[in-house]
Amino acid sequence: MSHSDAQPSPTPLNAGEPAGLGGHGGNVTLVEGGTFCLSDRLGDVEPGKPQGLFFRDARVISRWELLVDGKKPEPLSVLSPEAFAARFVLRRPPQAGMADSTLLVVRDRLVAEGMHEVITLENMSREATAVVLEVHVDADFVDLFSVKEGRAGGRRAEMTTADGELLLHDRADLARGLALTSTVEPMVLPGTMIWRIVVPAGGRWQTEIAALPAGAAQRPPMQGSVGERYRASEPVKKIQAWRATATDITSDSLMLNRILRRSESDLGALQIHSDSGTGRPFVAAGAPWFMTLFGRDSLLTAWMSLPLETDLALGTLQQLAELQGETVDPLVEEEPGRIMHEMRRGPAVGQVLGGQIYYGTVDATPLFVMLLAECLRWGADPASIATLLPAADAAIGWITDFGDRDDDGFVEYVRATDRGLINQGWKDSFDGINFASGQLAQAPIALCEVQGYVYAALLARAELADAFDDEPLARKMRERAVALRTKFAEQFWLPQCGWYAVALDGNKRQVDALTSNAAHCLWSGIATDEHAEILIRHLSSPEMDSGFGLRTLASNMGAYNPMSYHCGSVWPHDTAIAVAGLMRYQHVPGAIELATQLSAGLLDAAAAFDGRLPELFCGFPRGRFAAPVPYPTSCSPQAWASAAPLLLIRSFVGIDPDVPAKTLTVRPRVPASWGIVRLADFRLGTDTIDMEVRGTEILTASLPEGWELVIE
């Protein structure tokens, strides 16, 4: 068997090959912090499916089915006002021979540390109706990885009942459990809660079920109506606090406003606050499978979210610095100065990773340094930045001592054991890095975008050195950056093709596929103007531009598959980074035109997905299918996809603050379809700025005294 045909050994790590789960495009995902619930559009969690309520990376509900008179209700609608709440509107199935039903069934679900569900029955008939309501529940307490990979088995919970309460326990670990209570006491049997109800003509009946995992915060039952309880809930308070501190970004485009509102909501719900006692915020990568801290994803999401606020970025940096590698441990690929890849807390974490933290990523470490300097420019507390400088120096040390494994001047990766991820850049599926022929690249692999990140990290460390009066270090970092940029142009550029090699393989061969990775070289600034102009022409081609965003791999490459994870699909964050890179090179012919085109396609895709961009979607050409085709196992909401519209706003408004210098540079190139873009309560350090932009004009800008506005 040739290597290109070989399948990788199964890995429990979060590489990009969701295994055999089947589509869950019809599912409803609710998320709040580290807790999430995945159900069907009835609100049910069916046994044997990749659904459930997940708490601390373990499934604490594997069955949650509602029956009305022994049958599943019929779905009418699903409404989700926020990422953590949904209303399932159902009806009792009509009687035989009847077209209509007179019993409305509504399930109001809210996810926090556990789940609350209010079930309301409303009788539309002119006579009373008898109803038997049942909720069937079970839990297998298996690890998230087991569910993701379809190997959960058929474990059942140990169940006991007492005083109307149903208690479920993990047979293998009694510390894991779930308690179920209801405001209207049911008949309780192992695995079942039953209510026998008579709903009067025109009347309503209601109960609230609380499902609280062991270890969750125990809060007293809330009082009042469903709406009052919803407004008083912890998730609502959290999202309100997030919105109170975030910049209010609006435009004349109703659809863009809707997309931005959804982004703000999802990013608020995906935030996790450190349980170390600091309360610092960071963002989980995405639901359903990545509800944890991820180095690369969390850093890029924080970068993209800077137009909203800086606290998320600073909290992410502080959390990652606390977990930065200190020793050499091949089992989890820890190395001194390395920024971690992912953190897990599920029951199988020791078997999977040998610990809670896995470090196998090549790009998080330079991204850490890049974001630290950006945070300073955007107004983060200089004292807090100063405390993170040792972490930045350790990260630069990792780049030098461990990242560049063969002293050729480039950072490459190869996994330390057969348990690690085969590919350790953002395209981390086993087949994500390939030649134009379709042949897989062999490690050690030096990715083009990673060299760009390292270049930007060196310049970022130089900028930080300038800010803290270390001129020798600033000069040294800039010299290294210049040398890297020169060497990169020599060894990665493919003059016969007109784009950058996606990588150098283990034999230093140029991996010659045309990919979206090359667009990241525009974002980081490592590309020369001469190369950028040629590259932009290829990125503008129908082989790369699907009409809904940039493909990860050109359609004329050997490994192209529009339904693949990384070889021809469209990733919103990837397209947004390409747009940001194009706007960085807006002086190069074709850059603004392509950026505008890609942005319009991506926002059209968001509109087709009801305002919420998923992790990825299929890369079919727009001319073939009028709407973007969903990728079956795509995460939604997903952090960097949710943040992608914010990066589009930043790129076209052209916001470039320098808070220490009290200078705001703006390069407005706002698409005509957006009309006026407004930023209100835009916080830069301790100051607040309001601004309105249209096209290439700054219509209004209220800057505090002492600030300088530079329009380019």
Side-chain angles (χ1 to χ4, degrees), residues 58-243:
R59 182 161 65 179
V60 295
I61 291 180
S62 56
R63 183 186 186 191
W64 185 270
E65 292 183 285
L66 177 70
L67 298 181
V68 180
D69 295 336
K71 298 179 181 177
K72 285 182 175 290
E74 293 183 347
L76 298 177
S77 179
V78 181
L79 307 172
S80 183
E82 301 283 5
F84 49 79
R87 169 169 285 184
F88 302 89
V89 184
L90 318 163
R91 70 174 188 174
R92 179 170 59 184
Q95 297 179 5
M98 303 291 289
D100 293 332
S101 170
T102 57
L103 186 69
L104 178 70
V105 181
V106 178
R107 306 170 77 172
D108 286 293
R109 178 173 298 165
L110 184 141
V111 168
E113 286 198 335
M115 185 172 77
H116 290 260
E117 180 161 306
V118 176
I119 302 175
T120 304
L121 307 180
E122 188 169 347
N123 183 9
M124 308 293 184
S125 173
R126 287 178 287 181
E127 63 177 328
T129 184
V131 185
V132 177
L133 193 70
E134 302 170 54
V135 172
H136 294 268
V137 62
D138 204 348
D140 53 13
F141 300 103
V142 297
D143 193 271
L144 177 70
F145 291 106
S146 299
V147 181
K148 180 188 174 189
E149 296 175 8
R151 52 183 177 85
R155 290 173 53 183
R156 303 285 303 275
E158 181 78 40
M159 301 190 196
T160 58
T161 63
D163 299 324
E165 186 175 38
L166 179 58
L167 303 174
L168 290 75
H169 291 284
D170 185 354
R171 296 173 187 269
D173 181 0
L174 293 180
R176 293 187 180 273
L178 183 78
L180 294 168
T181 58
S182 173
T183 53
V184 177
E185 187 171 329
M187 177 191 303
V188 179
L189 302 173
T192 308
M193 305 172 81
I194 303 172
W195 298 263
R196 301 185 186 278
I197 309 149
V198 174
V199 187
R204 291 157 55 99
W205 177 91
Q206 191 174 84
T207 190
E208 178 176 353
I209 306 172
L212 295 177
Q218 304 296 311
R219 297 188 176 93
M222 292 180 286
Q223 304 300 314
S225 67
V226 173
E228 290 169 340
R229 292 200 294 274
Y230 170 79
R231 288 188 292 272
S233 66
E234 291 299 319
V236 169
K237 291 178 182 177
K238 175 184 162 186
I239 199 72
Q240 287 173 342
W242 160 247
R243 288 194 171 119

